[in-house]
Amino acid sequence: AVTSEKGKALMAEGGEKRKVYLDLRKELMALVKNADPLAAEALLNAKVLPAAQSYLGTMKEMVKFQNELTEQQ
C-alpha cells in the first residue's frame, strides 16, 4: 500500500496521465478505423506520443521513488 504523500501524489499523477493517454489512443484508433491516416498521423505526433512519454516519465519517477524507499530500509 502507498502510504507516503509523495507516493500518493505520484500514483495520482500517473493515473491522470494514463487516462489522458488512453483517451487519446482511443481517438487515434477511431481515426485509423475510419481510414483517415493523415489525421491519425497528426494526432499521433502532436498528442499521443507526447502523452505516452509523459505517462512513462511519471512511471519512471515512481520506480525511482520505490528504489529510494527500498534503499532506506
Side-chain angles (χ1 to χ4, degrees):
V2 178
T3 57
S4 73
E5 292 303 315
K6 181 176 180 178
K8 290 177 184 178
L10 284 170
M11 289 292 290
E13 182 181 351
E16 291 169 10
K17 289 183 178 184
R18 181 177 188 269
K19 182 182 181 333
V20 169
Y21 166 71
L22 291 176
D23 289 346
L24 287 167
R25 189 180 72 177
K26 184 178 179 179
E27 188 178 337
L28 176 66
M29 291 299 108
L31 290 172
V32 170
K33 184 177 179 180
N34 291 328
D36 193 348
L38 295 178
E41 183 178 11
L43 180 66
L44 177 68
N45 291 325
K47 293 185 178 181
V48 176
L49 291 177
Q53 290 171 341
S54 179
Y55 173 51
L56 291 174
T58 300
M59 295 297 103
K60 287 179 183 178
E61 287 181 47
M62 290 174 70
V63 170
K64 181 181 174 189
F65 180 63
Q66 288 174 346
N67 288 338
E68 289 170 359
L69 290 176
T70 302
E71 290 172 5
Q72 292 175 3
Q73 295 179 0

